[in-house]
Amino acid sequence: MRRICNYSISKESIEDMIQAKRFNPCLEITFRDRSGQHTHKLMAGYNDGLDVYREGSETYILITNPRLGYIGLEVFEGPGKTGEIFVEEHQVKETLGREDLAPFNAIKRLREHTI
């Protein structure tokens, strides 16, 4: 699994927001690797921390917010989302085994639970 450090975050276009029937624009992440350019729409909030990793054709985006205590994982293959999980503060220790895991290890444990 390779960490992606060079990425950009932007808000989706107003047209995409209206088409998706959202009241606020979601965030889009864009990065380039050996297989080309990738853009994904995220469920992350504007104040969330992101850790991005690639393994094969899959992109793993770990979303954390220590202030609010939640953690989430979105998994993409190609342009489509293949799985996600959102864990609230009181479930983090139960799901991960401990609260202070490195992002790489948190992704490995959360991907077992993605839907």
Side-chain angles (χ1 to χ4, degrees):
M1 194 176 292
R2 293 181 334 269
R3 184 177 188 144
I4 304 295
C5 297
N6 190 14
Y7 59 83
S8 65
I9 301 291
S10 60
K11 292 181 183 179
E12 74 178 331
S13 70
I14 297 297
E15 293 80 20
D16 287 351
M17 181 187 80
I18 291 170
Q19 185 178 8
K21 298 181 180 167
R22 285 190 272 273
F23 293 108
N24 295 302
C26 73
L27 295 178
E28 289 183 330
I29 186 169
T30 302
F31 63 93
R32 178 177 293 281
D33 67 2
R34 289 182 225 133
S35 62
Q37 183 167 317
H38 307 275
T39 300
H40 304 294
K41 293 184 185 296
L42 304 177
M43 66 178 184
Y46 300 140
N47 294 321
D48 292 346
L50 300 176
D51 290 286
V52 184
Y53 287 83
R54 290 272 296 166
E55 184 174 61
S57 62
E58 292 185 315
T59 303
Y60 297 94
I61 301 176
L62 183 69
I63 301 160
T64 57
N65 190 318
R67 190 171 55 94
L68 297 176
Y70 63 77
I71 188 168
L73 177 66
E74 290 186 84
V75 182
F76 298 91
E77 187 165 2
K81 186 185 294 190
T82 59
E84 66 183 357
I85 183 171
F86 179 83
V87 182
E88 294 183 12
E89 182 175 22
H90 65 280
Q91 302 167 315
V92 171
K93 190 171 183 179
E94 177 184 330
T95 306
L96 296 179
R98 44 190 274 212
E99 295 177 2
D100 58 346
L101 283 177
F104 176 82
N105 291 322
I107 289 171
K108 286 171 43 177
R109 292 191 186 177
L110 285 173
R111 71 180 176 184
E112 299 171 5
H113 303 285
T114 57
I115 299 171

